[in-house]
Amino acid sequence: MTSGRRYVWATAVVAAIGALWCVAYLRAGLGPEAYGYVVVPAGGLLATACGYDLIRRTPDLDPVAARFWRAMLLAAGSLTIGYAWLAVDMFTHLDQVRTRNMPAPAAAFAAIGFLLAIYAVARVPVVAAGGAERWRMVLDRMITFLGCAAVAWYLGLAPMLSAREPWSAQATLLIGLGLLVAVGAATKVSFLDGSPVDRVAIRFIAAAGGVPAGGVAVLAVQFGYIATVPAQAIVMPLAPLLFTLGVAAQRRARRAPARNRVLFPYLAMLLVDVPLIAVAFGAPLRPPVRVVLIVAVAVSALVMVRQYLAYAENARLLRNARLQEERLQYEVSHDGLTGLANRALFRERLTAALPLRASVLLIDLDDFKAVNDLLGHGVGDQLLISVARRLRTEVGDSGLPARVGGDEFAVLLTGPDPEGLAQRLVEALSQPISEHRLLIQASIGVAVSAPGDTLDSVLRDADVAMYTAKQRGKAGFVRYVDGMGEPVLDHMQLGGELRRALDDDEFRVVYQPIVRLDDHRLIGVEALVRWHHPARGVVGPNEFIAAAERTGLIVPLGRFVLRETCRQAAAWLAEFGPDALLEAGLNVSARQLHDPDFVRDVAGALADSGLPCDRLVLEVTESAVLCGQQVSRALYELDRMGIRLALDDFGTGESSLSLLRAFPAAIVKLDKSFVDGIEIDDGRPAAVDARQAVARAVIQLANAFGLATVAEGIECPEQVTALRELGYTLGQGYHLAEPTSADGIARLLAGQQPAAPEEIAGRLS
């Protein structure tokens, strides 16, 4: 048996002994009446010891609960001292037991005990609340307290004041304090949510104050002074017993979950009505009842205030709910970044506007991806916000601007002149924009609905028109006309065929030789891709590379060409010797360089094939080099691996000279456009020098930077002669050798085998 249970049983035994002695005294006159006064202090000692044991033996007791039980321990001790003092006084005045009043010191100790109990109960924290909720809780507690107090007054304390044999002021005070403990604890326990002080324990404390006080009050009213003995021996010893039961409940306590408190104020209102019902059935309207009437009026007033606060809070909650609903509807129908209508709202409004001959302007920002890549997504977001602001300004109240994609906007216009609005938007978006003063342009597609058009058909027409505007050079607008979608559809279908061709292994790699201009000896190859279409035959790259770039299929296609080139070049080296082929090159697009796995793919292809890194040449155009930090990082990683980089189509871009300083190139390839006409000699030296100026400048720059040079697109022997006179040693073109299969290159390499070793020792320098 635990120590808590032992105290409960011991206190119960003391209470039982007191009850048995009282019965024996009333029936047989056993012992003097003073014996009855011993039971309360005896039980009080056990209750005090029980409280002390709880604090001492429970080191993990919550600080709030420990504070409560320390105060209750002091209360029990003070009450025990007071009633022990009373017992000693009664034994010293045996002949005055029935009529003697409680000594003032004893009453003071008892009163202090009750006040300490009231203090402890008041300090127990209730559920935390703020604002209107806090005031509602205060009102609920006041209503509950007044309702319980009115009943305690009417049924307990008031009858004592008007009893036939009036009790002493000390007794009346202590009974009132006991009832106050009960009312306060009952009120407090109604508002505990998850308190460390156990709710059941506080109920026992309420009963410890209320049950004995109420019992004594009833005995005093009904039996007068003769009730003193049963009050002291039977009723009052219940207080220590209930106290120890409360301590035992605290030992077993677990934090109580939150509970609904809404019923307690209404129960209190019903309790206030009990005395009023008694008056209604004939009870005299005496001063105690008048007090209850006053309390009932106060409770009614508090309930009115409480209901008003509830009404105000409900109104506030409804208002907040409406605002929340409006906010959710706004968030569902508007873009979170720009605040424009989103795709869902745009489609809804367009569906409603179709019968009114609606116009749709589909706006796509040109080269927006470069902004994100070079300046970061934060700058890109600011740019989108600024674009949205300009759209609102230009559209005004005549239409609905919306953001329908990442960098794609749309305008729904029900008024006339959609082309005029499109022109104004092109001009507005061609000016520096956002806080970073960026220059961004837009391609706009315009579509006007016709009778019978559907939502999807109008949006498709606008998309086709916008795509056509991009094909025509961007930074402009195009209005959709019938038949405009066929080339776009063909292009889209071409993308689907490319995907199928990759899956069905319809692509083949051919190789264009790179030769020395003096003896036409093969020193390297450039890999080119051909599509062996099952119906159209061999399809050149000019017909499908653009579609592969647009659809992103250039990445897997380029991966296939890379691995096949590395495998085939390694096979040639293994068959014809390490000096048979000095380089195997292939073109790499900007889309491939943007792929974060590209460098890993190159390393994997070299490792799987066994091709030395310095034999692989990756050809990059000037425009691809300028496509952002990701491309620059990839190129420098490739250079560190020992792979040689060639600047293809050199001279056609805007930053050729600066690229020679910033780009880790090893080879410069003179574009075919500067080779065409270089051989023409019309007898005018100035004209000849003009045609050869770029080719001469390129070879001079390359020599200055220590770069090798290759002339592309050589188509006649006169061009070879002119290029050799300018200092070029390597070239490629249909005059030198056409693109051929791997077997054709193998035959060329085999034909070169008898040559002397010194003749095949030339390398790119």
Side-chain angles (χ1 to χ4, degrees):
M1 183 183 294
T2 62
S3 60
R5 290 186 177 181
R6 285 197 296 270
Y7 281 114
V8 171
W9 281 106
T11 311
V13 168
V14 170
I17 292 173
L20 291 174
W21 173 85
C22 182
V23 172
Y25 171 77
L26 293 176
R27 287 182 175 273
L30 179 63
E33 292 183 15
Y35 283 175
Y37 288 87
V38 177
V39 182
V40 174
L45 284 173
L46 292 172
T48 304
C50 183
Y52 176 75
D53 185 74
L54 170 69
I55 295 173
R56 184 173 63 87
R57 291 179 178 270
T58 315
D60 59 342
L61 190 63
D62 187 272
V64 173
R67 181 184 66 194
F68 171 79
W69 287 107
R70 280 195 295 268
M72 292 304 300
L73 174 63
L74 294 176
S78 183
L79 284 165
T80 301
I81 293 173
Y83 282 98
W85 193 310
L86 175 62
V88 172
D89 184 79
M90 290 302 171
F91 272 103
T92 57
H93 300 85
L94 291 175
D95 55 341
Q96 304 174 18
V97 169
R98 187 166 297 183
T99 58
R100 184 172 177 80
N101 293 328
M102 189 175 192
F109 274 106
I112 291 172
F114 280 120
L115 292 174
L116 286 172
I118 293 171
Y119 170 79
V121 171
R123 289 289 305 276
V124 176
V126 295
V127 60
E133 177 65 21
R134 176 174 177 271
W135 286 109
R136 285 198 305 273
M137 181 176 293
V138 170
L139 289 170
D140 286 346
R141 292 166 66 184
M142 291 177 63
I143 293 169
T144 305
F145 180 83
L146 290 176
C148 295
V151 174
W153 163 262
Y154 182 75
L155 298 179
L157 196 59
M160 288 186 64
L161 299 177
S162 58
R164 297 189 308 272
E165 298 176 356
W167 284 46
S168 65
Q170 297 95 314
T172 304
L173 173 64
L174 295 180
I175 294 297
L177 290 175
L179 292 174
L180 189 60
V181 170
V183 172
T187 303
K188 179 68 71 170
V189 77
S190 302
F191 295 89
L192 290 182
D193 282 347
S195 173
V197 182
D198 183 58
R199 182 182 288 117
V200 176
I202 294 188
R203 288 197 181 102
F204 277 119
I205 296 300
V211 171
V216 171
V218 171
L219 290 174
V221 172
Q222 297 298 324
F223 302 103
Y225 294 144
I226 197 174
T228 302
V229 174
Q232 292 290 337
I234 298 177
V235 178
M236 294 180 63
L238 294 176
L241 176 60
L242 292 168
F243 183 92
T244 56
L245 288 171
V247 173
Q250 181 66 56
R251 291 179 186 274
R252 302 188 302 270
R254 296 292 184 270
R255 289 212 172 191
R259 300 178 61 185
N260 187 1
R261 305 181 303 273
V262 70
L263 293 177
F264 293 108
Y266 296 101
L267 292 175
M269 291 178 60
L270 293 177
L271 291 176
V272 171
D273 291 336
V274 171
L276 303 181
I277 294 172
V279 173
F281 281 93
L285 189 59
R286 294 176 179 174
V289 178
R290 291 190 175 94
V291 172
V292 174
L293 290 175
I294 295 172
V295 172
V297 172
V299 168
S300 299
L302 292 175
V303 169
M304 290 177 62
V305 175
R306 171 67 172 82
Q307 291 301 107
Y308 172 76
L309 289 179
Y311 168 79
E313 179 65 11
N314 290 337
R316 185 185 67 83
L317 292 176
L318 288 174
R319 185 168 58 255
N320 289 343
R322 285 194 295 269
L323 292 175
Q324 180 72 9
E325 182 180 0
E326 293 173 0
R327 183 164 57 252
L328 289 175
Q329 290 178 347
Y330 180 85
E331 291 175 355
V332 168
S333 60
H334 288 75
D335 176 57
L337 177 65
T338 63
L340 296 179
N342 62 13
R343 179 187 293 272
L345 180 59
F346 184 81
R347 291 174 66 88
E348 177 185 334
R349 296 286 181 84
L350 177 57
T351 301
L354 283 177
L356 305 177
R357 188 175 173 81
S359 300
V360 172
L361 282 69
L362 196 61
I363 306 157
D364 187 82
L365 303 184
D366 298 331
D367 304 319
F368 177 76
K369 188 176 185 299
V371 176
N372 278 339
D373 291 339
L374 296 174
L375 302 178
H377 289 276
V379 176
D381 288 346
Q382 290 299 320
L383 178 60
L384 293 174
I385 294 171
S386 299
V387 170
R389 190 178 300 118
R390 290 204 176 179
L391 282 179
R392 288 195 192 94
T393 302
E394 295 298 330
V395 174
D397 298 330
S398 61
L400 174 70
R403 183 186 179 202
V404 295
D407 63 335
E408 195 170 277
F409 297 84
V411 175
L412 172 61
L413 189 66
T414 55
D417 195 21
E419 290 91 346
L421 176 60
Q423 183 60 45
R424 294 198 304 273
L425 290 176
V426 169
E427 294 173 357
L429 295 176
S430 65
Q431 303 299 319
I433 196 170
S434 87
E435 61 185 23
H436 298 87
R437 306 302 295 166
L438 298 176
L439 189 62
I440 191 76
Q441 295 176 322
S443 299
I444 303 177
V446 181
V448 180
S449 67
D453 281 348
T454 64
L455 168 73
D456 292 331
S457 66
V458 174
L459 292 177
R460 183 189 64 239
D461 293 346
D463 196 33
V464 168
M466 184 269 292
Y467 186 78
T468 304
K470 282 188 174 293
Q471 287 184 321
R472 293 181 181 179
K474 304 179 180 180
F477 72 92
V478 171
R479 177 168 176 166
Y480 178 83
V481 295
D482 292 339
M484 185 178 287
E486 295 177 3
V488 177
L489 182 61
D490 292 342
H491 202 66
M492 295 175 63
Q493 291 175 339
L494 180 60
E497 288 194 67
L498 286 174
R499 178 73 268 177
R500 178 195 55 76
L502 280 169
D503 295 338
D504 294 348
D505 195 24
E506 295 179 4
F507 290 100
R508 299 290 182 270
V509 179
V510 296
Y511 304 90
Q512 184 170 39
I514 299 174
V515 302
R516 291 204 306 236
L517 297 181
D518 55 354
D519 58 4
H520 289 196
R521 185 174 184 80
L522 173 68
I523 62 96
V525 294
E526 178 183 351
L528 305 172
V529 65
R530 298 290 185 267
W531 181 6
H532 287 244
H533 195 282
R536 299 167 57 189
V538 179
V539 180
N542 290 339
E543 297 187 40
F544 64 82
I545 288 297
E549 287 274 3
R550 181 182 61 82
T551 59
L553 293 175
I554 192 67
V555 174
L557 178 60
R559 188 181 299 119
F560 160 74
V561 175
L562 169 68
R563 300 192 71 86
E564 181 64 18
T565 301
C566 291
R567 184 197 64 78
Q568 187 60 65
W572 288 328
L573 292 178
E575 181 178 358
F576 300 109
D579 296 324
L581 192 71
L582 300 183
E583 67 179 57
L586 66 148
N587 292 286
V588 177
S589 71
R591 188 73 174 265
Q592 290 175 268
L593 292 170
H594 272 293
D595 182 12
D597 295 328
F598 178 71
V599 175
R600 190 182 304 114
D601 289 341
V602 173
L606 291 171
D608 293 344
S609 64
L611 181 69
C613 293
D614 62 348
R615 300 298 174 97
L616 179 63
V617 175
L618 300 181
E619 301 182 11
V620 186
T621 63
E622 296 179 39
S623 58
V625 174
L626 299 173
C627 281
Q629 297 178 355
Q630 171 65 28
V631 170
S632 180
R633 284 193 297 268
L635 293 174
Y636 275 96
E637 286 186 50
L638 294 168
D639 179 64
R640 285 192 293 270
M641 291 169 58
I643 297 168
R644 290 189 293 165
L645 303 176
L647 199 56
D648 197 15
D649 300 335
F650 187 78
T652 60
E654 298 178 356
S655 305
S656 300
L657 184 58
S658 62
L659 283 180
L660 290 179
R661 296 178 57 87
F663 174 59
I667 303 169
V668 172
K669 303 192 77 171
L670 180 67
D671 186 69
K672 180 181 182 299
S673 61
F674 302 115
V675 175
D676 292 341
I678 198 173
E679 78 284 4
I680 298 175
D681 185 0
D682 55 5
R684 294 182 297 172
V688 173
D689 290 342
R691 285 190 290 270
Q692 297 180 355
V694 174
R696 182 180 296 108
V698 169
I699 190 69
Q700 291 174 349
L701 287 171
N703 291 335
F705 285 103
L707 306 178
T709 55
V710 177
E712 297 181 300
I714 300 175
E715 297 182 350
C716 63
E718 291 79 8
Q719 290 177 347
V720 173
T721 302
L723 289 169
R724 289 186 61 190
E725 291 176 355
L726 292 173
Y728 287 88
T729 59
L730 301 177
Q732 65 184 88
Y734 275 63
H735 167 69
L736 301 174
E738 295 184 7
T740 185
S741 65
D743 291 339
I745 298 297
R747 287 191 292 271
L748 291 176
L749 292 174
Q752 295 181 165
Q753 286 298 100
E758 59 272 11
E759 292 181 351
I760 62 172
R763 297 181 58 122
L764 293 172
S765 58

